[in-house]
Amino acid sequence: MKQENLKALLNSLTLQEKIGQLIQLSGDFFAADQLAVGPQKKLGINQEIVQQVGSVLNIVGAEKTKSIQETYLGNSRHKIPLLFMADIIYGYRTIFPIPLGLGATWNPALVEKAYSVLAKESSAAGAHVTFAPMVDLVRDARWGRCLESTGEDAFLNAKFSTAMVNGIQGDFSPEESLASCVKHFAAYGAGEGGREYNTVDMSERRLREDYLPAYQAAVDAGAKLVMTSFNTYDGVPVTGNEFLLKDILRTEWGFEGVIISDYAAIQELIAHGVAADDREATKLAIEATTDIDMKTACYAKQLEPLVNQGEISEKLIDEAVWRVLQLKNDLGLFENPYRSASKKREDHELLTPKNRELARKVTSEALVLLQNKNDLLPLTPNKDKILLVGPYSDNPELIGLWAVHGKKEDTITIKRGFETYLNSEFLSQTAGCDLLSDYQFLGEFGATKDVISQIQMSDAEKVRQLEKATALAKDADVIVFAMGEHTLQSGEAGSRTDITLPAIQKEFLAELTALGKKTVLVVISGRPLVLTEESEKMDAIIQAWFPGTEGGHAIADIIFGKTNPSGRLSMSFPYTVGQLPLYYNEFTTGRPLDSKTHSGRFVSKYIDSPNEALFPFGFGLSFSKVEYTNLSLSSAELTENKPLEASIVVENKANRATTETVQLYIQDLVGSVVRPVKELKAFQKVHLSANSQQTVSFTITKDMLRYYTKSMKFDVETGDFNLYIGGNSRDVIRAEFILK
Ligand code: BGC
């Protein structure tokens, strides 16, 4: 629609109709017969309001969305189509690894492809907007939503943020794209103690340097929407936070798109204690330019009286509605309210062999080989007798909490993956133990006692499984344990204070490892777990995240050597939960471990744990041995007009081709404020054929050295810098240069 027609449309709306555009309700309000009395009653709104609502939450499926749209438009005076928004986080029907796994690919270009598949599949199913990417930087593995983040580093997260938005929005053609809603703005990943929905309080410097870059990257890439986060920042909940929403997002970054509250976050301003009632909450949110109220009756009931009583100007409403109408127009909904929803397209686009193939590739790059003592892996197929055991050994729950449209029956289990490599006489499999000792928490998700008792292994079954597994293990050469968290132990509201493997699995693991066989542990989890004991016991460990639809294939591809693992952690794995928050780019402190002035006890350390990570940021093994030598700089000085070239020789000393992620870190030695011990500034994924070497070069520019100085200017300061290159954040070679 032309801009002048859109303007005319806006001008033709009554105040109530305008407000409708700013309300989002869930799909249950739009039941086919239109009379979803239950949810309306709960929210205290009537059918008239429902009929004017501008967008729908979490309804997908071509036929369903089309029918809702058709009925809605049939009853609508102004004929403004509904927007369908949904959580399509890391795959619609073809499920990719969880974003923490995607982070471990260090391959934004590949992840962009995954997100365009996600967009293609879900556009066929009638979605217009996805609430992705989630780009919250996270340093605390207790937080369940680590699962949705690409990790702990601002630079790497920003790269993925751009890639994901590009993948989702593409060229914005109806059949290839959705509108992207970046979330949760801002700093939602920094909740105190890793506790869900908890307070966030940090300096503006830290906010800008570490937490904001990934959101800004999404906005710069053209993300059409931004979702506010549940947390406070500096005492003000984000949904009513003018500093974040107006000063930074709208004014500094020039964001003209739609801001939507997170689920019920406007009303939660009351529980936060900054609004006395719905009316005050509404006023705070709209004044902060939160355009859409997700899932409360605040805007529906309070905006009109606020305008009529002169407490807010109608102009605020007009501006918000204009942004919503623009979005609908950008999506082409006025011309075609169904966009590209079609049953036929669903039949053709979902879970195609090509999509599966991509998922398998992405997953292979996401898996991280954490340990491989005596080069146990890869295993030669049909040579050793293998016992595949553990609650995930033949379990289709490999897609994780936020893959709501994925289907278990599509998922390749680890057993199925193994079967493609092994003749039956070389493979035995059994669960061996239960996933958890107690499933009572499922009651919170509506499971009845009966259902829980069906899920849980009976005592007799536990005994039988242990006996069976022990007998099979005695007969095996190698035991592959597939273990990890329950799907519901990570994701939203999945904060934990104990992030080890569930006790029942640890006990089982101890029983079987006592047999002295060769052992491999495949870890399924939505977060970095504490794997300290396992790293002592196991020969090999593969971090497999929730690997998605093609998980079983990708895991088997690595175990049997078809793929040489290349994943690198994008989040540190701690020795113990007590180290959290843990991240590689910390400050030195006045008394670092290697302090020259203090010794013994009085340095910054724990007396019962190392400071560093068990498996650090950037870490991951392959089946090859790669050596870094000859780091050289083109000059000892960097000037405004003369960038530096840093190069290093990377040599693959193995008889097998490999992919190495060459990582470059910089440390500003003396600043006007303290600077991190090192910061990732560049990386390259390079392919090295067997027994070959390559010189890898990076250009260092002055811009790479910018930071928020003492005066809060994003600036550079002259002086000495360390430059590090290596295969992870710990094992690096150092050089130094001066910025003149
Ligand atoms: C989550 C968001 C999600 C929204 C809509 C909220 O609880 O925090 O990430 O997009 O629900 O489902």
Side-chain angles (χ1 to χ4, degrees):
M1 186 184 283
K2 285 197 182 129
Q3 290 290 293
E4 63 254 39
N5 296 346
L6 203 62
K7 261 266 134 67
L9 177 63
L10 172 64
N11 293 336
S12 74
L13 300 180
T14 64
L15 178 58
Q16 239 186 27
E17 285 171 336
K18 286 184 208 168
I19 291 167
Q21 292 302 310
L22 310 182
I23 303 166
Q24 174 162 107
L25 296 177
S26 53
D28 40 1
F29 287 83
F30 299 87
D33 61 2
Q34 286 253 357
L35 286 172
V37 174
Q40 285 182 27
K41 240 198 191 146
K42 215 166 132 199
L43 223 55
I45 60 173
N46 57 32
Q47 183 62 24
E48 198 188 337
I49 294 178
V50 175
Q51 188 46 48
Q52 279 168 10
V53 154
S55 59
V56 188
L57 169 66
N58 280 341
I59 279 279
V60 287
E63 281 177 350
K64 232 192 271 173
T65 52
K66 281 171 95 168
S67 133
I68 290 174
Q69 186 76 285
E70 193 177 359
T71 317
Y72 174 87
L73 289 174
N75 292 327
S76 164
R77 181 184 82 87
H78 51 60
K79 309 275 181 237
I80 302 174
L82 278 170
L83 257 177
F84 289 91
M85 306 200 194
D87 288 288
I88 302 147
I89 310 295
Y90 48 95
Y92 177 68
R93 183 73 182 274
T94 307
I95 306 301
F96 295 95
I98 56 168
L100 197 54
L102 297 176
T105 65
W106 289 59
N107 192 344
L110 183 65
V111 168
E112 181 172 333
K113 285 191 190 145
Y115 276 71
S116 58
V117 163
L118 168 161
K120 211 170 183 176
E121 288 194 355
S122 48
S123 67
H128 300 145
V129 173
T130 175
F131 296 125
M134 182 281 214
V135 300
D136 305 326
L137 184 133
V138 57
R139 292 170 162 179
D140 195 325
R142 287 172 294 185
W143 194 43
R145 300 193 89 166
C146 293
L147 176 151
E148 291 173 62
S149 165
T150 50
E152 73 185 38
D153 185 69
F155 177 80
L156 190 61
N157 283 3
K159 295 274 177 225
F160 282 114
S161 177
T162 307
M164 287 172 176
V165 172
N166 288 340
I168 292 167
Q169 296 197 160
D171 60 3
F172 227 58
S173 71
E175 303 205 337
E176 306 280 336
S177 72
L178 301 176
S180 158
C181 176
V182 62
K183 69 187 185 187
H184 308 82
F185 183 80
Y188 181 41
E192 287 177 1
R195 200 180 78 203
E196 185 64 288
Y197 314 129
N198 205 8
T199 307
V200 170
D201 207 348
M202 66 175 73
S203 67
E204 185 182 335
R205 176 171 288 107
R206 173 157 287 190
L207 175 79
R208 286 185 182 273
E209 241 163 55
D210 297 322
Y211 287 85
L212 293 188
Y215 308 107
Q216 189 170 11
V219 168
D220 288 347
K224 299 271 180 195
L225 301 93
V226 172
M227 186 188 289
T228 67
S229 52
F230 288 125
N231 54 280
T232 49
Y233 170 72
D234 196 13
V236 184
V238 175
T239 307
N241 190 316
E242 295 199 15
F243 169 65
L244 285 173
L245 301 184
K246 281 172 79 173
D247 300 352
I248 294 186
L249 181 57
R250 297 252 188 240
T251 310
E252 267 182 48
W253 299 356
F255 179 66
E256 292 177 350
V258 171
I259 299 180
I260 183 166
S261 78
D262 201 348
Y263 198 105
I266 296 182
Q267 203 158 42
E268 288 172 17
L269 295 175
I270 302 169
H272 272 295
V274 292
D277 51 25
D278 283 4
R279 184 184 173 96
E280 282 186 26
T282 300
K283 189 160 185 263
L284 282 175
I286 194 80
E287 283 179 339
T289 73
T290 302
D291 299 316
I292 297 182
D293 176 1
M294 185 196 289
K295 223 27 195 86
T296 82
C298 284
Y299 277 14
K301 290 185 157 176
Q302 306 299 333
L303 280 175
E304 195 175 2
L306 280 169
V307 172
N308 289 341
Q309 287 154 27
E311 280 198 50
I312 58 169
S313 98
E314 192 166 348
K315 192 165 159 271
L316 266 187
I317 311 278
D318 286 353
E319 286 167 359
V321 176
W322 179 244
R323 291 188 280 263
V324 175
L325 292 181
Q326 285 281 19
L327 175 61
K328 293 185 175 186
N329 199 29
D330 288 349
L331 285 160
L333 296 182
F334 292 104
E335 287 73 30
N336 178 5
Y338 309 109
R339 207 159 180 257
S340 60
S342 112
K343 176 83 183 57
K344 200 165 145 214
R345 280 197 65 228
E346 279 180 327
D347 293 343
H348 279 97
E349 305 280 9
L350 306 191
L351 204 67
T352 60
K354 247 180 107 189
N355 294 357
R356 274 192 179 274
E357 200 185 306
L358 179 69
R360 187 167 178 166
K361 176 162 174 48
V362 174
T363 312
S364 326
E365 293 200 23
L367 302 181
V368 185
L369 180 64
L370 294 176
Q371 185 161 297
N372 195 18
K373 289 183 195 157
N374 303 318
D375 294 329
L376 173 64
L377 295 180
L379 303 176
T380 308
N382 300 325
K383 181 168 159 263
D384 298 313
K385 276 178 115 177
I386 295 171
L387 167 63
L388 172 62
V389 74
Y392 278 110
S393 55
D394 191 23
N395 187 340
E397 296 273 2
L398 293 178
I399 57 179
L401 189 68
W402 247 148
V404 277
H405 309 293
K407 291 196 176 5
K408 272 203 264 188
E409 56 270 29
D410 299 335
T411 307
I412 307 295
T413 68
I414 302 178
K415 182 179 179 207
R416 273 188 65 193
F418 273 39
E419 282 168 347
T420 63
Y421 285 93
L422 299 177
N423 297 337
S424 58
E425 64 270 32
F426 289 95
L427 174 65
S428 57
Q429 179 274 327
T430 191
C433 70
D434 210 347
L435 188 47
L436 298 173
S437 51
D438 184 359
Y439 289 84
Q440 292 312 312
F441 75 102
L442 290 178
E444 278 191 346
F445 297 88
T448 59
K449 281 207 168 109
D450 276 358
V451 170
I452 293 173
S453 71
Q454 279 163 27
I455 294 168
Q456 189 149 9
M457 265 188 201
S458 66
D459 289 344
E461 179 62 6
K462 278 182 195 157
V463 173
R464 200 186 74 80
Q465 277 294 336
L466 180 60
E467 282 172 4
K468 184 177 174 194
T470 311
L472 291 170
K474 284 183 179 155
D475 190 39
D477 303 303
V478 182
I479 310 174
V480 178
F481 295 91
M483 300 190 144
E485 293 183 300
H486 189 279
T487 301
L488 290 166
Q489 287 183 302
S490 58
E492 183 170 355
S495 293
R496 297 176 69 195
T497 56
D498 174 358
I499 54 169
T500 55
L501 283 174
I504 192 169
Q505 296 183 48
K506 281 178 90 82
E507 284 158 22
F508 174 75
L509 193 96
E511 293 256 1
L512 259 66
T513 45
L515 297 174
K517 305 285 174 162
K518 300 241 175 359
T519 51
V520 180
L521 172 64
V522 176
V523 183
I524 305 296
S525 69
R527 55 158 60 80
L529 293 179
V530 166
L531 296 172
T532 311
E533 282 177 26
E534 290 71 24
S535 71
E536 284 157 15
K537 283 195 186 124
M538 295 288 119
D539 292 307
I541 303 179
I542 296 172
Q543 176 60 40
W545 319 110
F546 281 96
T549 311
E550 284 290 313
H553 278 146
I555 291 166
D557 288 345
I558 285 187
I559 290 185
F560 298 105
K562 183 177 169 204
T563 309
N564 193 353
S566 63
R568 300 290 181 262
L569 298 177
S570 62
M571 193 171 171
S572 307
F573 276 46
Y575 275 91
T576 156
V577 73
Q579 290 176 290
L580 301 178
L582 178 68
Y583 47 98
Y584 80 95
N585 48 348
E586 59 182 8
F587 296 143
T588 57
T589 79
R591 295 184 180 192
L593 269 182
D594 61 356
S595 166
K596 300 204 172 46
T597 48
H598 298 77
S599 61
R601 184 179 177 98
F602 298 98
V603 293
S604 179
K605 67 173 188 188
Y606 298 104
I607 56 175
D608 58 355
S609 153
N611 279 8
E612 77 266 12
L614 172 64
F615 300 115
F617 176 81
F619 178 80
L621 302 171
S622 72
F623 299 144
S624 309
K625 186 162 172 20
V626 175
E627 269 186 20
Y628 288 69
T629 52
N630 294 332
L631 170 59
S632 69
L633 300 184
S634 57
S635 157
E637 283 177 17
L638 172 62
T639 57
E640 176 85 64
N641 306 320
K642 216 170 112 236
L644 267 186
E645 285 292 314
S647 48
I648 191 152
V649 176
V650 186
E651 184 176 0
N652 177 8
K653 302 202 125 182
N655 277 330
R656 161 193 290 273
T658 194
T659 303
E660 182 67 12
T661 302
V662 183
Q663 304 164 33
L664 182 142
Y665 299 86
I666 288 181
Q667 178 187 20
D668 186 346
L669 283 165
V670 182
S672 58
V673 295
V674 297
R675 305 296 303 136
V677 291
K678 52 173 87 85
E679 291 175 283
L680 182 72
K681 291 290 178 184
F683 62 91
Q684 287 179 43
K685 242 182 139 166
V686 295
H687 180 79
L688 296 167
S689 38
N691 301 307
S692 74
Q693 66 172 47
Q694 239 187 73
T695 300
V696 179
S697 300
F698 296 91
T699 304
I700 318 296
T701 64
K702 199 175 152 191
D703 269 348
M704 289 162 87
L705 312 179
R706 279 185 198 284
Y707 79 101
Y708 287 91
T709 62
K710 195 168 183 186
S711 56
M712 281 305 283
K713 263 177 69 190
F714 191 58
D715 207 354
V716 274
E717 291 171 338
T718 54
D720 294 336
F721 290 80
N722 277 334
L723 178 146
Y724 302 96
I725 300 185
N728 64 66
S729 62
R730 182 189 59 201
D731 305 312
V732 286
I733 305 184
R734 187 181 74 90
E736 48 193 46
F737 67 90
I738 301 172
L739 174 68
K740 288 257 170 163

